[in-house]
Amino acid sequence: MSHTASAHDPSGAPSGATADEVAQTAQTPQIADIADIAETAQAATDAQAATAAQGAEVPEVLLSDPEVICDPFAVYGRAREQGPVARLTAPGFGGMWGVTRYAEARALLGDPRFEIRSDSFLRPEVPDDCLPYMRTMAEMNGPEHLRLRRLVAPAFGARRAAAFRPRIEATVDRLLDDLAAHTAPDGSVDLLPHFAGHLPMDVICEWVGIPEEDRLQWRAYGRTVATGGGKEFAAAIPGIVGGAKAAVAQRRRDFAAGAVPGNDLLTDLIRAQDEDGDRLSDDELVTLVWHVVMAGQSPTHLVANAVHALLDHPEQLAALQADRSLLPRAVEELTRWAGPTLLTIPRYATENVTLHGVRVAKGEAVTAVVAAANRDPRAFAAPDRLDVRRVPGSTPHLSFAHGAHFCLGAAVARLQTEVALARILDRFPTLRRAGSATRAMDPGTWRLENLPVRGL
C-alpha cells in the first residue's frame, strides 16, 4: 500500500536496517540508449523540482504492509509511476528515501554524493577479538575501496569464470545426484535446502580455496546468512572469522611445503601480500576471505527464484527446453524479473542534496528500489512480462547494482545459475511443482522459504 508524505518534512532518522541488460524484444521496440533514458529522466526531474517547490508530496511505502511482502513489484511499481522518489517507512524504523525509476536509480548508484558506510549494515555484537575483521570492503568508498577491489577482482572476471565452468558443472551434478536421498515417498523434494541452498557455498568455497574438510561447516554458516542472519549470524561470527584464519594458515603451509599453488582467490591474495606486504594487511586478508565467502550466498535465492518462475511460466520453460542457446539470455531476464534484490544497500548523503525534486538532508539514507527500476517501462519494453527470448542490450538490469559497488561476484552468480538451469532441464524434463512455495516475510529481499517439486 502506498500513500504520501511531504517532500519537505521527512519524518524520523534514517536507518541502516534494510535488506541487502536486458533490451528490446523482436516484437516490441524500446528505448535503445542510456542517454535517451537519461534525457527523459532529466525532463521528469525538472518537472519534479518545479512541483516540489510548491510543496508537492511523494509516495510513501510502508515496508511492513502485507502487500509489500506479497507483491513488492506491484507496490513499488505504483510508487514509481507517481514519481521517481518515494519514502520508505516501517514501525520503529525512521525511514529512508527510495529511488524508483531506472535512470534515476542507476545514477544514484554511481553518485559520489551518496556513500555506503557502516550504518548501511546491521552490525552484530561480536567478541573483541573479532572486531578487527568486521569492517569489510562493502562499506568502504573511494581509494580505500578501489585498492581492495583491484586485488580481488581478477579472481572474479569472466575469463576465470569460464575456466571454472567444469568445476561448477561437477558441483551441480553432485548435488542433483544427492536429491534422491532427500526425496519423500510421494516423489517430492524441496529444492531450496537440498540444492539451491548448498550450491553457492560449495561453489564459492572452491573458488576461494577453502579446504575441503572445512566446507560442511561453511555450509552451516551459509544457511545462517541465506535465511536472514540476525542473532544466529552474530553467534556464528567467531566461527566464520576462525574459519577464514584457518584457511589462510593452511594455504600458507601449502606454500611453505612447496605445494603447487591453486587457481583460487586465496592463492592470488597470499601471493599479492608476499610480493608487496603494504598492499594487504593480515587483518584485511582474513576479512576479505570471510566476506567474499558469505557474500557469495546470494545465488541461493536467484537459482530458487529462477526455477520457481519457470515452473510458473510453462511457455518460457518450454522455450528453454526447445533451445538451450537461450540460457545466457534467460539468466539475465530471470535476474531482472525475479532477482532477489528488491532494495539496494542504503547510501547516505554526504551533503544536502535535491534529489529529483526531493530535499535529502546530509546524513539521510537513500536506496535504489531495484524491484521498481527493473520493471520501469521507460527502460524496458513490456517490463512485467517474463520473456527468456528478451535480447540483452544497452539497459542492463540493476540486480547486481551499478558503479563502484557493482556486485563483484556477478559473473559467478550468472554462471552457476546458467549451469544449474541447464542441468535441471537436461536431467529432469518433467519437473513440476509439488504444492505451493512459501515466500519469506522480507520487504528487501525476494526469497523463498521452500521450493517443493516433483519429476526427479
Side-chain angles (χ1 to χ4, degrees):
M1 176 184 302
S2 63
H3 48 290
T4 56
S6 171
H8 299 285
D9 186 27
S11 60
S15 165
T18 184
D20 198 317
E21 311 125 314
V22 292
Q24 65 194 85
T25 60
Q27 298 80 14
T28 312
Q30 69 180 88
I31 299 174
D33 194 289
I34 287 291
D36 294 336
I37 302 173
E39 183 178 352
T40 302
Q42 186 58 53
T45 296
D46 293 341
Q48 284 287 326
T51 54
Q54 302 172 17
E57 294 181 329
V58 297
E60 182 171 321
V61 175
L62 183 64
L63 297 178
S64 58
D65 190 312
E67 191 182 2
V68 176
I69 306 297
C70 296
D71 192 357
F73 304 101
V75 176
Y76 292 130
R78 286 198 299 269
R80 178 194 62 230
E81 296 312 304
Q82 290 179 258
V85 179
R87 187 70 177 163
L88 311 183
T89 64
F93 162 57
M96 62 183 173
W97 301 106
V99 180
T100 57
R101 293 181 181 171
Y102 178 86
E104 291 87 338
R106 192 173 190 267
L108 168 73
L109 296 174
D111 191 331
R113 297 174 300 173
F114 299 93
E115 290 187 343
I116 295 178
R117 63 189 197 192
S118 58
D119 294 4
S120 300
F121 303 89
L122 287 172
R123 179 73 72 194
E125 293 291 332
V126 299
D128 289 347
D129 63 327
C130 292
L131 290 176
Y133 311 103
M134 288 297 98
R135 187 167 182 266
T136 70
M137 182 172 59
E139 59 195 76
M140 297 176 184
N141 298 283
E144 183 183 30
H145 173 263
L146 184 60
R147 173 178 64 87
L148 292 178
R149 189 174 178 102
R150 281 177 171 167
L151 288 172
V152 181
F156 288 91
R159 184 178 302 174
R160 177 75 66 89
F164 205 83
R165 186 183 187 109
R167 293 156 81 177
I168 294 179
E169 290 173 340
T171 299
V172 168
D173 283 337
R174 173 175 51 79
L175 290 173
L176 292 177
D177 289 343
D178 291 346
L179 288 177
H182 303 287
T183 302
D186 66 356
S188 66
V189 65
D190 190 343
L191 281 186
L192 189 60
H194 302 305
F195 176 70
H198 291 327
L199 176 61
M201 180 56 77
D202 288 5
V203 168
I204 202 66
C205 280
E206 184 84 6
W207 204 289
V208 171
I210 299 296
E212 185 80 36
E213 62 270 20
D214 296 336
R215 294 180 187 179
L216 280 178
Q217 183 58 63
W218 281 96
R219 270 190 180 186
Y221 299 147
R223 285 193 296 272
T224 300
V225 173
T227 54
K231 292 181 179 179
E232 293 81 5
F233 177 59
I237 283 289
I240 290 171
V241 171
K245 289 180 178 179
V248 172
Q250 180 60 55
R251 186 49 50 88
R252 287 201 181 282
R253 287 193 293 271
D254 294 342
F255 269 79
V260 177
N263 187 24
D264 53 49
L265 178 63
L266 260 176
T267 297
D268 293 349
L269 294 178
I270 290 174
R271 183 181 288 122
Q273 188 184 47
D274 288 347
E275 290 173 355
D276 183 359
D278 290 338
R279 295 177 66 194
L280 190 66
S281 71
D282 288 342
D283 288 356
E284 288 174 332
L285 177 55
V286 170
T287 302
L288 277 172
V289 170
W290 83 254
H291 181 240
V292 166
V293 174
M294 290 296 101
Q297 299 319 294
S298 55
T300 287
H301 305 307
L302 176 56
V303 170
N305 286 352
V307 173
H308 185 261
L310 290 172
L311 293 178
D312 270 357
H313 294 79
E315 76 288 355
Q316 302 300 314
L317 180 61
L320 290 180
Q321 288 280 23
D323 185 359
R324 295 291 196 278
S325 71
L326 292 174
L327 271 168
R329 186 182 302 185
V331 168
E332 289 306 296
E333 173 69 346
L334 288 160
T335 306
R336 178 194 73 87
W337 194 85
T341 300
L342 300 176
L343 306 173
T344 64
I345 295 166
R347 275 78 171 155
Y348 287 82
T350 60
E351 59 186 76
N352 295 331
V353 179
T354 298
L355 189 65
H356 311 299
V358 175
R359 295 173 185 170
V360 178
K362 179 179 179 180
E364 286 196 298
V366 185
T367 182
V369 184
V370 175
N374 275 353
R375 298 195 183 193
D376 187 348
R378 298 158 190 80
F380 303 101
D384 291 320
R385 183 183 68 203
L386 176 65
D387 181 4
V388 297
R389 295 185 178 87
R390 195 182 295 262
V391 180
S394 59
T395 52
H397 61 72
L398 298 180
S399 294
F400 295 126
H402 172 70
H405 288 276
F406 179 81
C407 177
L408 188 67
V412 189
R414 287 176 167 124
L415 180 57
Q416 64 183 291
T417 303
E418 180 183 331
V419 170
L421 293 178
R423 286 297 203 254
I424 288 171
L425 289 170
D426 289 342
R427 296 180 56 166
F428 310 122
T430 63
L431 190 74
R432 59 195 183 279
R433 290 173 56 169
S436 299
T438 306
R439 284 281 167 196
M441 301 291 285
D442 187 341
T445 307
W446 187 239
R447 58 188 177 93
L448 293 165
E449 293 185 332
N450 53 48
L451 181 54
V453 298
R454 285 194 180 90
L456 302 181

